[in-house]
Amino acid sequence: MAAVVDAVVDVAQKVEDMILGEDGKPLSKSALKKLEKEKEKEKKKLERDAKLAAEKAARESASPDYSTDRYGNLPVNMSQERTGRIRTKIATLTEKNIGETILLRARVQTSRPTGSKKCFLILRQGTVTAQGVVTVDENTISKQMQKFASSISVESLVLVEAKVVKALQKVTSCTVQDVELQIEKLHVVSAAARLPFTLEDATRPDSEYEKDPNLVRVKLDTRLDNRPIDLRTVTNHAIFRMQHGVCRLFREFLEQNDFVEIHTPKLLGAASEGGANVFKVEYFNEKAFLAQSPQFYKQMMITSDFGKVFEIAPVFRAENSQTHRHMTEYVSLDLEMEFEEHYHEVLDVLDGLFVHIIKGLKERYAHEIEVIKRQLPFDDFEYLEKSLRLTYPEAVKMLRDAGVEFGDFDDLSTEKERILGQLVKEKYHTDFFMLDKFPLAVRPFYTMPDPARPGYSNSYDFFMRGEEILSGAQRVHDPNLLQERAEQNDPPIDPETILPYLDAFKYGAPPHAGGGIGLERVLMLFLNLGNIRRTSLFPRDPHRLGP
C-alpha cells in the first residue's frame, strides 16, 4: 500500500514538474511556488475589490435619495392630462436662452457617466443634438439620480427639464455647440430595447472603414429589415426631408403655372401600359390590375378641358428586375398639359420645372446635403440654367464617335445611357439633359409619330448622371390613329379592353403631352447614392415585401 502511495506521489510530482514556463521549459519547484503565491494574491485582490464595491453600493443605497421626484419611469401616456407647458425644440437653442429653464422630449443618443458625480447625455430630436449633464449636488441631484441617468438605454425617449447654460468649450459632438443643458429632472417616457445595430455604426462614413476594417458595417439588407431604426439616423432624416423637398418644389412650380393636382385610380380594369409587367389582383368576381401609371386618366382630364394637371402617387410595375434603380412600387411625379402648336411648348415647361427643382434643392436644402455628405460623400450636381437638349440621332453620333456600336433605331441600354451621360458631362459640363425624338418602335402605343422623320416619334427622356428619370411624349389625341396604334402594338392591344380610354378622344381632344418622373430616382441620382432603396422609405422589389 505504501508503495502505491509513493508511486502516485511520484507521478503527481512529475506532472507538476512538467508545467511549462514562458520559455517552453518545465517550471522549477521555486517557480511553481511563486506562481501559486501570485494566484493567491490576485484572488485576495478580487475578493477585496468585490467587498469594497458591495460596501459602496450599500452606502449609496443607505444614503438618503432626495431626488425621488426628479427622475424615474413615467406611466404609459394614455392622455391622462394636458398641462399646456411649452416644449422646446433643440434646434432653436442659442446663447440667448442661457439662464432659462426649459422642458423638452428627446431620444438619448448616448449616456456616459464620468466618475460618480456626473453623467453626460447626448439628446437628439431628428437631426439635431444637444449635450445634457446630470451633476450630483447636496440638495437636489442625488447619486441615485446620476446612476439612473447612466442606466438609461440608448434610443429611449426621455422628458427633460433643464437649465440652459454656457458650454465651457464647444460641444463638437453635437449640432448645438455653444450651450448645454444642466438637467434638473429626467424621466423616461418610453424605454428602448436592445437595438439590432447602433446608430453610430449606421452613420459611419466609408472613410472610417478604410482606417479600421474591423469596424462594424451595417449592410443594406440589415438596414431595410430594421427600417424604423435605420430611419432614425441623421443621414436618413436628411434624405427624406429632401424627398419631401422634391415633391414640394414639383408641386410649387406647377401650381405657379396653373396646373391642377388630381388623384386617379390605382385599381384598373385594364393594364394601363399594355404588356405583361402588371400586377393582377382579385376584385370581387373579376380580375383587376394595379396601375402602372396614371397615363389614361391624365389624358382623360385633358379631354375634360382641365388644361394642365399633375399627380404625385404610387405606381406598380411587375418587373423582375434585380438592379440598383428598379422597384416594383415607386412614387411617380406625373404631369400632362395641352399645347397650342408644338409639343416643345411642354418641353419648355419641363425644362423650367427641373431647373426649379435642382436649384431649389441646392439652395433650400444645403444643410441636409452637408449632413448626407458627411456619411455618403458625392460630387455636387451640375446643371445649366437653360437645360441641354439633344436629339436621338445626335446622341447616336456621340456614342459612335466614342467607339460604341449603335444602330440608328436601337434602344438605349443602361450601360449606353451611362456612357452617354459621361460624354455629355465631359462636353457640356452638366449632369442633367433632355433627349428628344426617340425611335417610335421603342415607345408606348399612345406616342405620336414624327411625320417629318419616319421611324421616329415626338417623345423624350430626361437624364441625371447618365440615368433616365423621366419618360414622356406628345400623345396621340386622334381616336382613329390611337386605335390603329393600339392594334399595331407588340403585342397587339384589343381596343375593347381600353374602350373608355379610346372613347374619351371621340368627342374632341386638344393636342397634349406630358411625362412621368421617378421620385426615388431623382433623389438617388441628385445625391449619387448608388441604390434606389436608399431613397424609398419601405422599398418593394421582387424579394422584399416588408416591413
Side-chain angles (χ1 to χ4, degrees):
M1 185 69 179
V4 173
V5 171
D6 289 341
V8 171
V9 171
D10 185 57
V11 170
Q13 186 65 51
K14 288 180 179 179
V15 171
E16 185 180 61
D17 289 343
M18 288 299 291
I19 295 175
L20 305 180
E22 291 182 1
D23 57 0
K25 296 179 181 180
L27 292 175
S28 63
K29 290 183 179 180
S30 60
L32 282 171
K33 288 181 179 179
K34 185 178 179 182
L35 183 63
E36 286 299 325
K37 284 182 179 180
E38 288 176 355
K39 287 182 178 179
E40 187 64 26
K41 185 178 178 181
E42 180 64 24
K43 181 182 177 183
K44 289 181 178 179
K45 182 179 182 300
L46 290 173
E47 290 174 348
R48 185 169 60 253
D49 289 347
K51 183 179 178 182
L52 290 172
E55 290 173 351
K56 181 182 177 183
R59 285 196 304 273
E60 288 179 354
S61 61
S63 63
D65 185 357
Y66 38 84
S67 303
T68 52
D69 60 339
R70 293 179 173 270
Y71 73 94
N73 296 306
L74 292 177
V76 174
N77 186 320
M78 301 175 72
S79 299
Q80 293 95 326
E81 63 176 346
R82 190 173 184 182
T83 66
R85 286 194 64 184
I86 296 173
R87 306 291 180 94
T88 299
K89 295 294 183 184
I90 290 175
T92 66
L93 291 177
T94 67
E95 290 185 274
K96 292 180 180 179
N97 300 105
I98 291 175
E100 295 179 9
T101 297
I102 63 170
L103 182 69
L104 63 86
R105 186 174 68 200
R107 288 196 183 274
V108 174
Q109 183 163 302
T110 62
S111 174
R112 179 173 58 86
T114 303
S116 61
K117 291 197 172 183
K118 282 185 183 291
C119 180
F120 291 91
L121 305 173
I122 291 183
L123 303 170
R124 189 184 77 248
Q125 291 176 339
T127 61
V128 294
T129 52
Q131 179 171 274
V133 58
V134 175
T135 305
V136 174
D137 59 31
E138 295 181 355
N139 300 308
T140 56
I141 310 299
S142 65
K143 289 184 178 180
Q144 290 90 336
M145 182 171 170
Q146 184 266 353
K147 190 173 182 180
F148 173 80
S150 65
S151 70
I152 297 174
S153 57
V154 172
E155 289 302 295
S156 291
L157 278 167
V158 293
L159 185 65
V160 173
E161 186 175 302
K163 186 175 182 180
V164 182
V165 298
K166 172 74 175 175
L168 296 178
Q169 57 186 21
K170 278 189 176 294
V171 187
T172 56
S173 59
C174 296
T175 59
V176 175
Q177 300 186 346
D178 296 320
V179 299
E180 64 181 14
L181 303 176
Q182 196 175 79
I183 296 175
E184 298 174 348
K185 293 183 180 181
L186 178 64
H187 291 88
V188 173
V189 176
S190 180
R194 182 181 176 86
L195 299 176
F197 49 80
T198 69
L199 268 65
E200 181 183 8
D201 289 337
T203 53
R204 185 175 289 118
D206 284 344
S207 58
E208 291 190 22
Y209 294 107
E210 294 170 7
K211 298 175 185 175
D212 185 357
N214 294 318
L215 290 170
V216 175
R217 186 188 290 270
V218 185
K219 295 181 179 179
L220 183 57
D221 276 345
T222 304
R223 292 175 181 273
L224 297 179
D225 288 342
N226 301 278
R227 196 58 160 161
I229 302 300
D230 185 46
L231 288 173
R232 290 183 189 176
T233 65
V234 293
T235 304
N236 275 324
H237 268 253
I239 287 172
F240 289 101
R241 288 179 189 278
M242 290 191 69
Q243 187 187 85
H244 160 72
V246 174
C247 294
R248 171 188 176 190
L249 291 160
F250 176 79
R251 179 179 281 113
E252 179 179 272
F253 179 87
L254 295 180
E255 287 180 344
Q256 289 170 359
N257 285 273
D258 300 322
F259 280 72
V260 176
E261 185 168 6
I262 60 173
H263 305 283
T264 63
K266 302 303 165 222
L267 280 171
L268 310 182
S272 52
E273 300 283 345
N277 297 330
V278 60
F279 286 110
K280 298 178 182 179
V281 296
E282 293 292 335
Y283 191 75
F284 300 105
N285 295 321
E286 56 183 312
K287 290 287 184 184
F289 304 89
L290 294 181
Q292 294 166 287
S293 86
Q295 184 60 46
F296 292 179
Y297 297 98
K298 288 190 302 179
Q299 292 185 254
M300 288 179 185
M301 295 301 291
I302 299 301
T303 69
S304 301
D305 293 338
F306 274 74
K308 300 175 181 180
V309 297
F310 75 93
E311 181 174 25
I312 301 174
V315 296
F316 306 88
R317 300 290 172 96
E319 297 176 344
N320 193 16
S321 299
Q322 318 292 331
T323 76
H324 73 285
R325 67 178 192 170
H326 286 94
M327 294 190 295
T328 53
E329 178 184 351
Y330 65 92
V331 176
S332 185
L333 310 177
D334 272 273
L335 66 126
E336 203 77 18
M337 63 174 279
E338 65 181 34
F339 59 84
E340 296 296 333
E341 297 178 324
H342 199 287
Y343 76 97
H344 281 181
E345 296 168 31
V346 181
L347 277 183
D348 292 340
V349 172
L350 288 168
D351 186 353
L353 169 64
F354 271 92
V355 169
H356 183 75
I357 290 173
I358 294 167
K359 190 175 183 179
L361 289 177
K362 283 175 167 284
E363 292 178 354
R364 301 187 203 178
Y365 294 86
H367 168 70
E368 284 78 7
I369 288 171
E370 289 307 309
V371 168
I372 294 164
K373 277 185 173 182
R374 284 200 290 268
Q375 181 179 1
L376 304 165
F378 63 91
D379 293 331
D380 288 336
F381 192 90
E382 289 190 68
Y383 71 105
L384 304 174
E385 288 284 350
K386 178 68 176 175
S387 300
L388 174 67
R389 297 186 195 180
L390 298 173
T391 64
Y392 205 81
E394 287 173 331
V396 170
K397 184 177 186 304
M398 288 181 71
L399 288 167
R400 287 174 177 168
D401 289 347
V404 179
E405 292 185 9
F406 201 74
D408 288 348
F409 298 100
D410 289 352
D411 198 4
L412 278 172
S413 66
T414 301
E415 178 60 19
K416 289 183 174 63
E417 283 182 6
R418 186 186 62 80
I419 295 171
L420 179 62
Q422 290 176 343
L423 296 172
V424 167
K425 180 69 178 285
E426 291 168 5
K427 185 174 181 178
Y428 298 101
H429 306 289
T430 180
D431 288 307
F432 173 75
F433 68 96
M434 306 176 178
L435 187 56
D436 192 15
K437 298 297 181 186
F438 269 73
L440 182 61
V442 302
R443 307 301 278 197
F445 76 94
Y446 47 76
T447 303
M448 182 66 78
D450 182 353
R453 298 178 178 84
Y456 291 96
S457 64
N458 295 344
S459 63
Y460 40 83
D461 280 1
F462 292 2
F463 296 85
M464 293 176 69
R465 298 193 197 265
E467 295 194 38
E468 178 246 313
I469 47 90
L470 174 147
S471 184
Q474 178 183 354
R475 322 301 188 181
V476 176
H477 60 282
D478 179 81
N480 296 323
L481 179 56
L482 186 58
Q483 181 168 333
E484 180 184 320
R485 292 276 299 142
E487 291 170 346
Q488 292 173 351
N489 191 68
D490 184 19
I493 297 173
D494 182 358
E496 290 296 321
T497 64
I498 55 170
L499 198 57
Y501 172 65
L502 293 174
D503 285 346
F505 297 94
K506 291 181 179 179
Y507 309 105
H512 57 281
I517 305 162
L519 170 63
E520 292 89 351
R521 273 196 198 180
V522 167
L523 193 57
M524 171 189 75
L525 294 165
F526 181 85
L527 300 172
N528 206 18
L529 295 177
N531 195 310
I532 198 168
R533 290 155 188 80
R534 286 189 177 274
T535 55
S536 174
L537 281 175
F538 300 97
R540 296 291 180 257
D541 61 36
H543 297 298
R544 182 171 291 280
L545 199 54

